[in-house]
Amino acid sequence: MKHSLLFTLLFGMILICQNTNGAERKLIRISTNQTDLILQVGENGRLYQSYFGEKLRHASDMEALSWDIHAASDGSVSQRGWEVYSGSGNEDFFEPAIAITHTDGNPSTWFYYVSSTQQPVPGGTQTDITLRDDQYPVEVTLHYVAYAEENVIKTWSEIRHEEKKPIRLSAYASAMLYFCRNSYYLTEFSSDWAKEAQMSSQRLQPGKKILDTKLGSRAAMHMHPFFMVGMNQPAQERQGEVLMGTLGWTGNFRFTFEVDNVGNLRVIPAINPYASVYSLQPNEVFTTPEFIFTLSTEGTGQGSRNLQAWARRYQLKDGMGDRMTLLNNWENTAFDFDQSLLAGLMKEAKDLGVDMFLLDDGWFGNKYPRNNDRAGLGDWEVNRTKLPEGIPALTQAAQEAGVKFGIWIEPEMVNPKSELYERHPDWAIHYPNRETYYYRNQLVLDLSNPEVQEYVYGVVDKLLTENPDIAYFKWDCNSPITNIYSPYLKERQGQLYIDHVRGVYNVMRRVKENHPATPMMLCSGGGARCDYEALKYFTEFWCSDNTDPVERLYIQWGFSHFFPAKAMCAHVTSWNKAASVKFRTDVASMCKLGFDIGLKDLSADELEYCREAVVNWKRLKPAILDGTQYRLVSPYEGNHMAVNYVDASQEKAVLFVYDIHPRYQEKLLPVKLQGLDPDKMYRVEEINLMPGTTSTLKAHGRIFSGDYLMKAGLDVFTFGQIQSRVVELTAQ
Ligand code: DGJ
């Protein structure tokens, strides 16, 4: 045992105090308006979770409850299974939150309660709890911020030590939560390119179920960093207890769900320790990502509303601000454009009525022009053949057209065919001794290297500083980390995955600090980046390259469980031309609306329809972007889908209804809205109608009470294949 005498003395004194005060057994209550998470120091001086559930009415009941839970069936004093931050090598035989190999090779860590504080922070209360090992100078501080109104808790941990040499961390969870219920049903959100946020559920059986990714920089391709656990029943939309949790980490993550021998569930959200034994220096602080969760007793609908409101208020960049509609050129032109073509598209954007024109990939690279995805990444100079007058001419053209100008970048990447790679091959993550393999012909820049961070920040900063009229960034990331070896980290390769992500944040944080007013879209070859840490620096994210509106219904339904519509970019494109332009637009209108389509390919009626849909969407922004969302009919449960939004004053609501592939003579049920004021009268009007058509909705133009609309509902579904309706409700 090699730690300082002072530490031993101090810690010994603390333990003596705890043991003599054992009978008091400190209680720590972490509460929102609906939930209590109650922790208690055990007789052994260690910290246990004694309750996690619906908020207790009487504070005096807290102690009684904790004793009951901890009573071991054989009468022993063991409190196995409920330790708040269980360490490896203790008497608990299940998955720990933290695993440390100390400098003397000892693999055990036992944490004892030292102190805790609580203080108000914007929107809630922050609790900080310090625990320390009694044999090694290692401590962890557990942080919890409970947001009362939104019923959301955010938790993370900080690990530090004063051993003489680095300790080795092989597990470092953000938190640990326990449940004692009859059964547990996990809903996961699996993913792939063009197949994001696909929901599936299963009952958790004894043993472990792990959800994780090992993609390095685009956390979410294959699996998204969020999940739901239905207690005693599969998660339901409108009733039942459900835990909904997400990890704010733009890298490898791991959620462990372990049902133990007595049927209790532990949930461990963490950075994935895969290939990441982290060597922690003395006095260095290892900060885990934030785990953000809500425990809803009214199903996933309420849980989503909790998270959506919380995200807008406390997490998204400019979460309470406005969002711009846009015309993007990627699906329309890909790499094939020049200055005059773009100037023409800007005029079309204006004619469509959107706020901005967004120039996508392909505008840079000279020695290795970016005319396809095989060259140019890293060389962020305007391509002089396509754009001889540079970005100023583009912002000027946008100004003349009367729209804002936004631009695409992918600054964390390099193509081997680039001047950057020629200058700095050692800046790319790649093996020194193996054949290099490529994903989309590119490599990931090594952001564990501060010099590379500086370069990447410089690219973004230069663009924005030299071109103050750039009003928007789409920041892409099209490759996972391949060839996982950092030339910079040398023998510290166990830190690559973690230090790289921290380097990415370092760059993003500086961009936000120095360009706070620039809205930015987080994109990763579709929706492979959608976590709440990155979204501190981004106003919105691109959900998927799959813009087939039928597929999008499922993708948007999935993402809506964790994100507000305001954060979810949805564009009208020409994927699935069998679907009408109206259907495609109505699907995109339930999120942050944009277009990425050749407008010249539309008929006059279609274009006229789109113009009106943009006007309608802008009018309804207070409900869609800043109001409350209610998922009414799931596409997973039938051949239709419906969602409604209500603004804060309950004066305005909008109902989106989609018929996907109705069966012959299937029973069409009325759709019952939610969130209206039962005592207000609402005029019902179908909007987004194709020119020359009139509404066939029986309720069109009529007035109903909110009560009626929520109890009896509206007959809005049809037998039409791939048809949609948008219904505006206005309080009279
Ligand atoms: C992937 C994105 O998802 C697309 O929208 C587009 O920006 C391409 N990258 C460009 O390379």
Side-chain angles (χ1 to χ4, degrees):
M1 199 171 60
K2 299 172 188 147
H3 58 275
S4 72
L5 184 62
L6 180 66
F7 179 86
T8 314
L9 282 173
L10 276 175
F11 194 76
M13 282 165 66
I14 290 163
L15 277 187
I16 289 165
C17 287
Q18 277 165 3
N19 288 338
T20 49
N21 291 340
E24 284 176 28
R25 299 194 36 212
K26 172 96 182 162
L27 274 165
I28 301 168
R29 184 179 194 184
I30 296 159
S31 305
T32 68
N33 290 347
Q34 279 82 38
T35 303
D36 262 328
L37 173 61
I38 299 172
L39 315 179
Q40 185 164 28
V41 179
E43 284 168 339
N44 58 5
R46 284 157 63 185
L47 187 67
Y48 295 88
Q49 177 187 309
S50 52
Y51 179 77
F52 181 30
E54 210 171 339
K55 188 163 185 165
L56 299 177
R57 186 179 279 264
H58 306 291
S60 55
D61 288 337
M62 290 197 304
E63 208 157 331
L65 194 139
S66 66
W67 284 105
D68 287 349
I69 285 185
H70 286 156
S73 53
D74 63 356
S76 75
V77 292
S78 164
Q79 292 173 330
R80 182 162 61 78
W82 294 86
E83 192 168 6
V84 169
Y85 204 71
S86 177
S88 59
N90 66 15
E91 73 284 5
D92 182 288
F93 297 111
F94 295 88
E95 193 66 24
I98 183 164
I100 296 175
T101 305
H102 299 278
T103 42
D104 63 1
N106 190 320
S108 67
T109 296
W110 295 27
F111 280 129
Y112 292 82
Y113 174 81
V114 176
S115 62
S116 59
T117 57
Q118 286 193 315
Q119 56 178 336
V121 291
T125 304
Q126 177 158 344
T127 305
D128 302 313
I129 306 167
T130 300
L131 311 175
R132 205 171 281 155
D133 194 310
D134 64 335
Q135 297 299 317
Y136 291 88
V138 178
E139 69 176 35
V140 62
T141 306
L142 310 176
H143 302 276
Y144 300 83
V145 180
Y147 295 86
E149 198 182 316
E150 296 80 11
N151 189 23
V152 166
I153 299 177
K154 173 173 98 174
T155 172
W156 71 101
S157 306
E158 288 177 325
I159 304 157
R160 68 174 76 75
H161 73 97
E162 288 176 2
E163 296 194 27
K164 294 262 157 41
K165 291 192 197 143
I167 59 172
R168 293 199 302 139
L169 293 176
S170 50
Y172 22 75
S174 296
M176 214 164 172
L177 294 171
Y178 299 85
F179 296 88
C180 176
R181 308 288 192 273
N182 254 332
S183 53
Y184 316 95
Y185 294 82
L186 175 68
T187 301
E188 58 191 90
F189 296 77
S190 63
S191 178
D192 201 343
W193 180 78
K195 213 167 170 251
E196 289 83 347
Q198 304 294 307
M199 299 171 67
S200 58
S201 300
Q202 60 185 276
R203 182 172 174 169
L204 291 170
Q205 301 295 340
K208 270 190 271 188
K209 164 79 185 174
I210 286 178
L211 304 180
D212 72 349
T213 62
K214 304 183 181 73
L215 299 153
S217 56
R218 46 187 338 208
M221 196 175 71
H222 300 169
M223 182 65 68
H224 292 290
F226 38 85
F227 66 85
M228 313 195 293
V229 178
M231 306 295 160
N232 300 324
Q233 60 167 23
Q236 305 281 320
E237 186 68 29
R238 291 192 67 178
Q239 55 82 21
E241 190 185 22
V242 59
L243 172 75
M244 300 172 72
T246 178
L247 193 76
W249 185 246
T250 317
N252 303 344
F253 68 87
R254 185 175 78 177
F255 296 124
T256 305
F257 304 88
E258 188 170 28
V259 178
D260 68 15
N261 55 324
V262 293
N264 292 337
L265 170 71
R266 68 181 64 190
V267 177
I268 311 176
I271 295 178
N272 190 348
Y274 165 75
S276 299
V277 174
Y278 200 95
S279 185
L280 189 69
Q281 303 295 323
N283 290 313
E284 183 187 344
V285 179
F286 184 99
T287 305
T288 72
E290 293 169 354
F291 176 59
I292 296 143
F293 63 93
T294 184
L295 185 69
S296 164
T297 52
E298 294 163 75
T300 53
Q302 187 55 49
S304 297
R305 289 188 284 280
N306 296 345
L307 290 162
Q308 292 169 356
W310 172 84
R312 287 186 303 219
R313 283 187 201 141
Y314 304 109
Q315 198 75 4
L316 283 182
K317 179 175 177 179
D318 196 21
M320 302 301 277
D322 199 4
R323 295 293 184 270
M324 288 190 276
T325 50
L326 59 84
L327 176 67
N328 192 357
N329 70 312
W330 174 247
E331 294 288 335
N332 180 12
T333 70
F335 299 95
D336 190 12
F337 53 79
D338 61 21
Q339 195 170 298
S340 77
L341 186 139
L342 296 181
L345 294 182
M346 292 174 198
K347 289 190 189 129
E348 289 179 25
K350 178 66 183 172
D351 179 50
L352 178 62
V354 295
D355 305 306
M356 176 186 34
F357 172 75
L358 172 61
L359 171 59
D360 215 285
D361 197 353
W363 57 267
F364 49 91
N366 284 296
K367 181 170 174 191
Y368 300 104
R370 182 75 172 168
N371 292 328
N372 51 52
D373 62 18
R374 293 189 293 279
L377 278 179
D379 300 344
W380 298 101
E381 299 296 333
V382 168
N383 178 285
R384 284 185 295 272
T385 313
K386 291 184 199 177
L387 305 170
E389 292 166 63
I391 294 176
L394 296 175
T395 53
Q396 171 77 28
Q399 225 162 48
E400 282 163 17
V403 289
K404 303 257 190 221
F405 176 76
I407 198 162
W408 178 97
I409 47 169
E410 192 180 3
E412 300 156 59
M413 302 285 160
V414 65
N415 283 124
K417 266 180 133 186
S418 70
E419 292 182 75
L420 179 68
Y421 190 75
E422 285 176 350
R423 282 197 309 275
H424 297 288
D426 56 323
W427 280 10
I429 297 175
H430 67 283
Y431 294 126
N433 54 354
R434 292 184 193 280
E435 196 184 328
T436 305
Y437 63 98
Y438 298 96
Y439 192 98
R440 211 194 190 208
N441 313 301
Q442 62 197 60
L443 293 172
V444 179
L445 289 173
D446 182 1
L447 283 150
S448 69
N449 181 346
E451 206 184 345
V452 181
Q453 290 172 26
E454 197 57 42
Y455 163 80
V456 173
Y457 171 72
V459 166
V460 181
D461 184 57
K462 183 164 177 265
L463 268 170
L464 287 172
T465 310
E466 287 181 356
N467 305 284
D469 289 331
I470 290 182
Y472 186 87
F473 257 162
K474 174 179 179 182
W475 181 312
D476 210 340
C477 166
N478 281 297
S479 175
I481 298 183
T482 52
N483 314 280
I484 54 162
Y485 183 91
S486 156
Y488 168 76
L489 287 171
K490 304 205 168 65
E491 73 287 348
R492 292 176 294 135
Q493 296 301 319
Q495 300 183 199
L496 172 57
Y497 277 131
I498 294 172
D499 287 355
H500 176 82
V501 175
R502 289 179 177 160
V504 170
Y505 292 148
N506 196 20
V507 173
M508 289 175 175
R509 184 181 39 74
R510 288 174 70 189
V511 172
K512 183 178 170 186
E513 274 166 16
N514 294 319
H515 304 281
T518 310
M520 310 220 298
M521 183 204 291
L522 181 63
C523 174
S524 183
R529 265 187 174 173
C530 55
D531 66 88
Y532 270 122
E533 187 62 24
L535 284 169
K536 277 184 183 165
Y537 311 107
F538 289 82
T539 47
E540 54 224 55
F541 72 95
W542 180 229
C543 299
S544 179
D545 280 347
N546 190 339
T547 42
D548 174 330
V550 174
E551 293 300 324
R552 267 287 179 143
L553 287 179
Y554 294 86
I555 292 168
Q556 292 170 193
W557 181 270
F559 276 127
S560 76
H561 285 77
F562 284 85
F563 300 101
K566 171 176 264 184
M568 293 166 50
C569 301
H571 297 173
V572 180
T573 74
S574 27
W575 282 52
N576 190 355
K577 286 189 181 151
S580 66
V581 167
K582 169 175 163 56
F583 189 86
R584 288 181 248 167
T585 309
D586 290 353
V587 171
S589 293
M590 60 175 271
C591 293
K592 207 219 81 166
L593 176 64
F595 292 78
D596 192 355
I597 190 168
L599 294 174
K600 292 213 166 78
D601 299 338
L602 302 185
S603 70
D605 277 354
E606 286 170 336
L607 188 56
E608 183 51 34
Y609 168 84
C610 290
R611 280 196 203 103
E612 198 184 312
V614 171
V615 172
N616 290 340
W617 189 85
K618 287 187 176 179
R619 185 178 65 253
L620 293 166
K621 274 197 283 187
I624 300 170
L625 297 189
D626 295 310
T628 311
Q629 183 195 61
Y630 298 88
R631 288 185 298 262
L632 307 175
V633 178
S634 166
Y636 282 90
E637 284 164 16
N639 308 313
H640 307 269
M641 173 171 155
V643 173
N644 82 274
Y645 297 82
V646 183
D647 77 353
S649 64
Q650 292 174 301
E651 292 285 311
K652 192 62 105 180
V654 56
L655 169 66
F656 292 97
V657 181
Y658 309 96
D659 301 308
I660 307 171
H661 296 298
R663 303 285 306 277
Y664 174 70
Q665 283 202 347
E666 70 166 64
K667 188 165 188 177
L668 297 179
L669 294 170
V671 170
K672 297 174 189 171
L673 285 90
Q674 290 181 45
L676 302 174
D677 181 338
D679 297 321
K680 280 187 177 146
M681 302 301 291
Y682 293 89
R683 173 181 295 281
V684 170
E685 279 169 305
E686 185 176 1
I687 58 170
N688 283 17
L689 293 163
M690 282 298 284
T693 64
T694 50
S695 174
T696 53
L697 188 69
K698 272 193 275 164
H700 179 69
R702 294 177 59 194
I703 294 173
F704 304 89
S705 71
D707 187 55
Y708 175 89
L709 292 165
M710 292 192 289
K711 288 180 179 161
L714 291 174
D715 284 316
V716 277
F717 286 139
T718 76
F719 287 110
Q721 302 284 320
I722 313 189
Q723 285 197 13
S724 54
R725 274 182 167 151
V726 182
V727 181
E728 182 172 354
L729 297 105
T730 312
Q732 301 302 291

